[in-house]
Structure formats: structure tokens, C-alpha cells
């Protein structure tokens, strides 16, 4: 099964862009919680809330403004949304109660579906790897294969044994060749088949429904 | 018969059991003392965590959580679902709010669940272990089984993000939650209430993908603990614990600092206060040794 999303949205990238003149409408239709964007009153509170603040090309407030200004490419190709740590600082502070975290994830993942997300964006790669690992078990565990010697008993003893390996491991992770999530062991429910069928169905439902809701 | 029973969603913490560092071990010991019975949700699956957003679609992420709720309602009817991992709790609770509040999403989720021969018809609420302790027991009740004094140890309470936002613990503020300090004090430890990085984000999952940016966050968390004269940090969050413990040596290597600040779970200090051994408290699985707490645990 392909853990990556291939819903009806793909067609949007290829087909002439019917939404080009109204990016806000497009976001409302395709981005998770996108219907909230118009509620933003540009107060700027969220812009000062992100832990990786200085590294955001456009803080959330600016992204909402750009969406309304129709700056489709600037938004979707930016790596700003990929700086979100899911800390929920913004969400608890926003006077308009926008689900900002979800919208950031939603825009990032929409950009990813359209193939517009920056290449080699490490968080994008990690996110996809994580989902794959989360939903797909019973395949080769690269982490254990690669550094099995050091990490065979798990994270803590592995690091005790081979502290010098850590920078190397981190390098590999950044390069997308190693999945740190597998350090935690990996669990496998018995009903693998049921889960796979269920997720396949979920994707089919979304493809069928797009772009009606999101 | 146990005093309280819950449907347990182990998530990360049980996975971590394999790696020996252990939230799970200490939670089990703590629950034994408090007469709490945790029964694993049979055949539970991963919740997806926040970071999976680009891999899984909205419906997929809701459905994998709904599968867990359905299994809990089916096999452990009436029992509240309890998670120890902040990310698990948040994702599960968020998914539950979505599915319970949106009939169309519910219908779609059930159409997908049918493939796994399941049908979601509502479930008990999803709660964090800390909520259970504070709301179902309360500080006074938690204090009763204390047999050892932690008075010599100064704890900086690091709550982190996802245990605190967006849901948090009822009655606590987002900017300065006090429950961790109160838990420490209930166990007889010294809580450094002026510790000012208690809700700083450690970078979360981005510690893997954006190490330098995350390590700056972690540096703030650790430095502030030193500034307060802390003996150790205490946290409810498994990812915070791992990030703050694992990356200190990296920060030392790159930035010439001399960090060596232990970080433990609330359940570990509770287990020790309740008379648990080093092993029962999972204190034998640290990279940076919480020596003072280990010594108290080892004392007869
Ligand atoms: S805090 Fe809310 S209202 Fe203010 S700019 Fe951010 S999203 Fe808009
Ligand atoms: S959740 Fe994301 S967008 Fe919100 S403050 Fe944190 S990093 Fe910024
Ligand atoms: S937080 Fe959720 S995703 Fe992560 S391991 Fe725990 S259950 Fe799985
Ligand atoms: S690990 Fe970091 S990001 Fe996650 S909840 Fe803890 S503090 Fe927040």
C-alpha cells in the first residue's frame, strides 16, 4: 500500500488552475481547517509565538495575509509552515481562536500533495517517514539494520555504547536515510490487514469526496 | 478489585519499554501503589502523532484513532481512555472531538472502519494520566502513600507543550501551569516555582529534522534549570524527556557548555516517594544519572 496520499488533489496540479484567482477559496476547499483563514484579524499575536520564530520565512499571520492576497506560489513553495513544532502556543493565544497549528500542517501537507513543497525539506521527509512507519509494519527496519550494532538494545543503551555515533546518526536522519522513529522499537498490532484495508478505504473516500469538503 | 480502572493507551511509552528507559515502568509502579488498574486497549495502533501530517490525510488520521476508541468501547466498556504520552493524548483527543462533532466525518470514518470490521458509536473520554491523578485522586490522596522524603532534591518542573496546550489540565493557566510543582511538593520535594522555561517547546519531533534549531530551545530549558539551582528537571512528556536528555551532550560538543542536567518523569519521583526501588522507578535507564533520586530510591 502506498502510504503517501494520492487523492484527487493531484489532478489540480496537472490541470489548468481553476482557483488561481481565488487562492482563499482554494484553501477553504482543500486545506484542513482552511475555512478558518478568513477569520484572522491580523493582530500579530501568533507571529510572536513560534519557537523557531526567526526561521519562519513568513510567520502564520503573514501566511494568512498572503492567502487572502492570492499569493499562491509564494505560500505553497515556502518552507515556513514546515517550521511548525506543533507547540500550540498560537492556538491558545489567538483572540479569534483559529486552529493555527492545524492550518499550518494543512497548508504544508496540501503543498506536499501538489508537489510544490520544497525538496529535501527535512521535516517534510520526516513527517512522511513517520506516517509510513506508523501505518506500515513488517518491513525492513533500516535503523536496526544500519546501526544495529550500537542501537540493538534501543535508544538509551545504544547511545551509552556509542555516543560517537550520534552525530553520524543525525547526519543520516537529515539525509533521509535513517528513520529515528524506529529507535523507539516499533509496535505491530495483530490486525495489520484490517488497518491497511481501513486506511485504503479512507483514502478512497477522500478521493471520492474531494474537492467537496477537504 | 482495583480502586480505579482505565482503558490504557500506551503509545510511545510502551514502545520505549523496549529501549529500557522507562516511563512505563514507573507508571506501573505508581499505579500499583495507588490501586489503579490499567488494561491495554487490545490490539491498539499508533495515533499518528502531530508530525505525521504530511503523510496521512485528515480522514486517515481520524480513522486510526477511531479504531482505538472503538476497540476500547468494545472490550473495556465504560472505562475512560488514559494516555501517558502527551502527543498520543492530544492526537486522540483532537480526533475524538472531530469525529464526535461532525456527522459527515463520523459516517466516513465508519465506512472506513467497516473494513476492519469495526463500528464507532462513541466512547469514554480520552484523558491524560496527570488528569487522572489530579482529578480522580487529588493532591491529598496522592500524598497518603508517601513513605520517603525527597526534601533534599530541588526539582525544576518542565511541563513542555503538548501536555499543556491546547487542552491542558482543567483550571491551570497555559503560560504558568502549577500542577507539576504541586505534585512535586505533594511528594515532599522542593519545587522551583520560579523556573521560567516550564512551557518552552523543546522542538518536539523537529529535534530530529531541525537539530540546531531545537537544540537552541533545549539549551534554554537546561540553562534556566541551572540558573534556579535545580538538581534535576521533571517532566510529564516522553518526547521532552528524550530530547532534553539525549541532546545535552551534542550541545556540549558543539557549544562548549558543560550540561549534565538529569531529567526524570513525575511518575519516577512518585514511585521513589512511595518507596519504590531504582528498578521499579525506571531510574536505571538514564544517560544522565539522576543521582540524588537514585540514592534515595536505593536507601532501605
Ligand atoms: S493570532 Fe489569530 S487573529 Fe491574530 S494574526 Fe494570528 S491567526 Fe490572526
Ligand atoms: S504551533 Fe506551530 S504555528 Fe503555532 S506557535 Fe507553535 S510553531 Fe508556531
Ligand atoms: S505519540 Fe502516538 S504516534 Fe507517537 S508512538 Fe505514541 S502512539 Fe504512536
Ligand atoms: S516534546 Fe517538546 S514539543 Fe513535544 S510536548 Fe514536549 S515540549 Fe512540546
Amino acid at each position: 500500500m502506498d502510504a503517501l496520499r494520492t487523492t484527487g488533489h493531484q489532478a489540480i496540479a496537472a490541470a489548468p488552475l481553476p482557483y488561481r484567482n481565488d487562492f482563499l477559496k482554494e484553501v477553504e476547499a482543500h486545506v484542513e481547517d482552511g475555512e478558518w483563514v478568513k477569520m484572522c484579524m491580523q493582530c500579530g499575536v501568533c507571529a510572536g509565538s513560534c519557537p523557531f520564530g526567526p526561521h519562519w520565512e513568513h510567520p502564520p499571520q503573514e501566511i494568512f495575509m498572503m492567502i487572502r492576497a492570492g499569493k499562491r506560489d509564494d505560500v505553497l513553495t515556502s518552507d515556513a509552515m514546515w517550521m511548525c513544532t506543533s507547540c500550540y502556543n498560537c492556538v491558545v493565544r489567538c483572540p479569534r481562536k483559529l486552529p493555527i497549528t492545524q492550518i499550518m500542517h494543512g497548508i504544508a501537507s496540501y503543498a506536499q500533495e501538489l508537489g510544490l513543497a520544497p525538496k529535501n525539506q527535512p521535516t517534510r521527509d520526516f513527517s512522511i517517514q513517520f506516517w509510513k512507519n506508523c501505518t506500515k509494519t513488517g518491513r525492513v527496519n533500516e535503523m536496526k539494520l544500519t546501526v544495529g550494532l550500537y542501537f540493538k538494545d534501543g535508544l538509551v543503551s545504544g547511545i551509552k555504547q556509542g555516543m560517537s555515533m550520534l552525530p553520524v546518526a543525525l547526519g543520516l536522519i537529515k539525509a533521509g536515510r535513517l528513520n529515528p522513529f524506529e529507535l523507539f522499537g516499533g509496535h505491530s498490532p495483530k490486525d495489520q490487514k484490517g488497518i491497511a484495508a481501513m486506511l485504503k478505504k479512507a483514502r478512497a473516500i477522500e478521493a471520492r469526496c474531494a474537492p467537496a469538503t477537504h | 478489585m482495583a480502586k480505579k480502572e482505565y482503558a490504557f493507551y500506551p503509545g510511545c511509552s510502551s514502545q520505549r519499554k523496549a529501549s529500557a528507559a522507562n516511563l512505563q515502568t514507573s507508571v506501573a509502579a505508581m499505579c500499583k501503589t495507588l490501586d489503579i488498574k490499567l488494561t491495554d486497549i487490545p490490539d491498539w495502533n499508533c495515533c499518528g502523532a502531530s508530525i505525521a501530517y504530511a503523510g496521512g490525510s485528515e480522514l486517515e488520521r481520524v480513522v486510526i484513532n477511531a479504531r482505538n476508541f472503538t476497540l476500547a468501547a468494545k472490550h473495556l466498556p465504560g472505562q475512560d481512555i488514559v494516555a501517558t504520552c502527551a502527543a498520543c493524548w492530544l492526537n486522540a483527543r483532537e480526533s475524538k472531538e472531530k469525529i464526535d462533532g461532525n456527522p459527515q466525518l463520523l459516517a466516513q470514518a465508519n465506512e472506513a472502519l467497516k473494513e476492519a470490521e469495526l463500528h464507532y458509536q462513541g466512547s469514554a473520554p480520552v484523558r491524560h494520566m496527570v488528569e487522572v491523578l489530579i482529578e480522580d485522586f487529588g493532591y491529598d490522596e496522592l500524598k497518603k502513600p508517601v513513605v520517603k522524603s525527597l526534601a533534599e532534591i530541588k526539582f525544576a518542573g518542565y511541563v513542555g507543550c503538548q501536555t499543556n496546550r491546547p487542552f491542558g489540565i482543567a483550571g491551570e493557566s497555559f503560560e504558568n501551569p502549577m500542577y507539576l510543582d504541586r505534585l512535586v511538593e505533594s511528594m515532599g520535594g522542593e519545587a522551583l516555582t520560579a523556573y521560567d522555561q516550564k512551557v518552552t517547546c523543546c522542538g518536539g519531533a523537529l529535534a530530529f529534522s531541525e537539530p540546531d534549531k531545537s537544540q537552541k530551545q533545549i539549551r534554554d530549558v537546561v540553562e534556566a534549570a541551572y540558573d534556579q539551582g535545580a538538581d534535576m528537571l521533571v517532566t510529564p512528556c516522553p518526547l521532552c524527556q528524550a530530547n532534553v536528555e539525549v541532546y545535552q551532550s551534542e550541545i556540549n560538543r558543539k557549544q562548549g557548555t558543560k550540561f549534565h542536567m538529569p531529567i526524570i518523569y513525575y511518575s519516577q519521583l512518585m514511585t521513589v516517594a512511595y518507596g519504590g526501588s531504582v528498578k521499579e522507578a525506571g531510574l536505571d535507564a538514564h544517560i544522565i544519572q539522576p543521582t540524588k533520586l537514585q540514592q534515595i530510591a536505593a536507601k532501605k
Side-chain angles (χ1 to χ4, degrees), chain B residues 74-88:
Chain B
K74 186 171 158 191
H75 299 289
L76 303 163
Q79 295 185 16
D80 285 1
I81 300 168
V82 172
T84 44
C85 164
C88 299

Side-chain angles (χ1 to χ4, degrees), chain A residues 49 87-94 97, chain B residues 89-90 93 131 157-179 195-201:
Chain A
S49 298
C87 76
Y88 290 79
N89 254 332
C90 51
V91 171
V92 299
R93 291 177 183 164
C94 172
K97 305 250 175 310
Chain B
W89 175 54
L90 189 154
R93 196 167 149 178
E131 282 184 296
Y158 177 45
V159 176
C161 314
Q162 297 196 339
T163 317
N164 185 44
R165 297 182 298 260
F167 301 117
I169 306 296
E172 294 279 356
S173 90
F174 295 124
E175 310 288 341
N176 187 20
M178 297 303 296
Y179 67 85
Y195 175 63
D196 61 6
Q197 298 291 324
K198 62 166 78 157
V199 297
T200 297
C201 177

Side-chain angles (χ1 to χ4, degrees), chain B residues 4-10 36-42 68-69 71-73 75-83 124-127:
Chain B
K4 295 247 162 51
E5 294 191 325
Y6 302 94
F8 187 44
Y9 180 60
I36 295 173
K37 187 175 171 209
L38 299 177
T39 310
D40 283 8
I41 297 172
N68 291 327
F69 310 149
L71 290 169
H75 299 289
L76 303 163
Q79 295 185 16
D80 285 1
I81 300 168
V82 172
V126 183
R127 303 173 69 201

